[in-house]
Amino acid sequence: LAGWREMSVGDMKDKIRWSLSNVLECTPGMRDHLMALGTKEEIMREYGMLAYVPVKIADNAMFGVWALRRVRGVGLENLGGLKLTERKECLRYACSAGVDFSIIR
């Protein structure tokens, strides 16, 4: 989102959708929330990191947040109740984002 002041709201949303497409797909409601933002200022409040942080790093951080929320939602002791693929994703994303399991507990 570098140069966001010169972009239209639609262009900003397109850049975010492109940059964070994987996160938007796996996080319920996130795409709708993005589309509901109506001003550049609202978008920057939510996604401003994309103006300063490389997309790969932002994507990794957002996946870490997704994993943390997912694990906290079911509880660490119930992680085995998730589908194997979802459990692997949670662990992989949490670890790659530097989330320590002591934080999850």
Side-chain angles (χ1 to χ4, degrees), residues 54-69:
V55 171
K56 288 281 192 186
I57 293 172
D59 195 47
N60 197 36
M62 302 243 343
F63 266 124
V65 170
W66 171 83
L68 183 61
R69 287 181 181 159

Side-chain angles (χ1 to χ4, degrees), residues 38-57:
T39 67
K40 293 179 182 186
E41 290 74 20
E42 289 175 337
I43 293 170
M44 287 305 290
R45 231 183 338 269
E46 296 289 328
Y47 299 96
M49 68 178 166
L50 292 174
Y52 313 103
V53 176
V55 171
K56 288 281 192 186
I57 293 172

Side-chain angles (χ1 to χ4, degrees), residues 50-104:
L50 292 174
Y52 313 103
V53 176
V55 171
K56 288 281 192 186
I57 293 172
D59 195 47
N60 197 36
M62 302 243 343
F63 266 124
V65 170
W66 171 83
L68 183 61
R69 287 181 181 159
R70 187 69 185 117
V71 171
R72 281 193 171 163
V74 299
L76 187 59
E77 64 281 353
N78 299 320
L79 196 56
L82 296 175
K83 293 178 189 174
L84 180 60
T85 55
E86 192 170 10
R87 190 168 59 233
K88 285 169 117 176
E89 282 180 343
C90 281
L91 295 173
R92 184 182 65 195
Y93 294 140
C95 291
S96 68
V99 176
D100 187 304
F101 273 105
S102 64
I103 294 170
I104 294 172

